[in-house]
Amino acid sequence: MPRDHRPAKSIRVLLAEDQGMMRGALALLLGMEPDIEVVAQVGAGDKIVDAALTHRPDVALLDIELPGKSGLDAAAELRDQSPDCRVLILTTFGRPGYLRRAMEAGAVGFLVKDGPVEDLASSIRRALTGETVIDPALAAAALSAGPNPLTARECEVLSASADGATVADIADALHLSESTVRNYLSAAIGKTGTRNRTEALREARQQGWL
């Protein structure tokens, strides 16, 4: 809609999405809503907070898997540095663990990308009025899945084990002894019901715990 037909006070939106085509399409579609204005677009998680402090959006739409920093980490930073900005997580990966982590990071909504833009626009408006907006199917899945059984340290060690890192590599990176690393990995394997750390890492990622 032409700007002169917009209401005097549009909802200012920041959009963080690493796929340029998806980001452009979302910005275009949201910009057609009479009361929504996309004031900033970023393609990396480590650019979110600076963009928010510069453009002062009312709502930030954040993907989770972004280069530089995850949308979940950025959401936690926005909660501290731009508390008036309402955060909605918009992702392809509707994993129960992601939902729990998003809420812990201060997000007020969690939506999957395959929904119609009309629903997204409605969610933006509802978030601005103070509602919590969560995809119903994802909410049900999160309740049935239960909480993350891994401790923060177990998650850290398991994440560090990716890409073929040895126990020595992990110990050096996290400033732990090798025996401590082995204990954390063993605990993570047991809690995920898997046979080795590779399977444990895969299961934790699929559940959205990492």
Side-chain angles (χ1 to χ4, degrees), residues 1 6-7 9-12 30 32-37 121 125:
M1 180 172 288
R6 290 183 180 275
K9 175 63 175 174
S10 293
I11 301 171
R12 297 170 59 83
L30 288 173
M32 295 174 69
E33 296 292 320
D35 57 341
I36 294 176
E37 180 182 8
R125 298 182 186 106

Side-chain angles (χ1 to χ4, degrees), residues 27 29 40 49 52 56 66 69 71 75-76 79 82-83 88 92-94 96 137-139 150 155 160 192 202 206:
L29 291 169
V49 171
R56 296 295 176 182
L66 295 166
K69 181 176 296 180
R79 177 188 56 200
S82 185
L88 292 175
T92 305
F93 304 101
L138 185 59
L150 303 175
C155 286
T192 54
R202 184 185 306 117
Q206 287 176 347

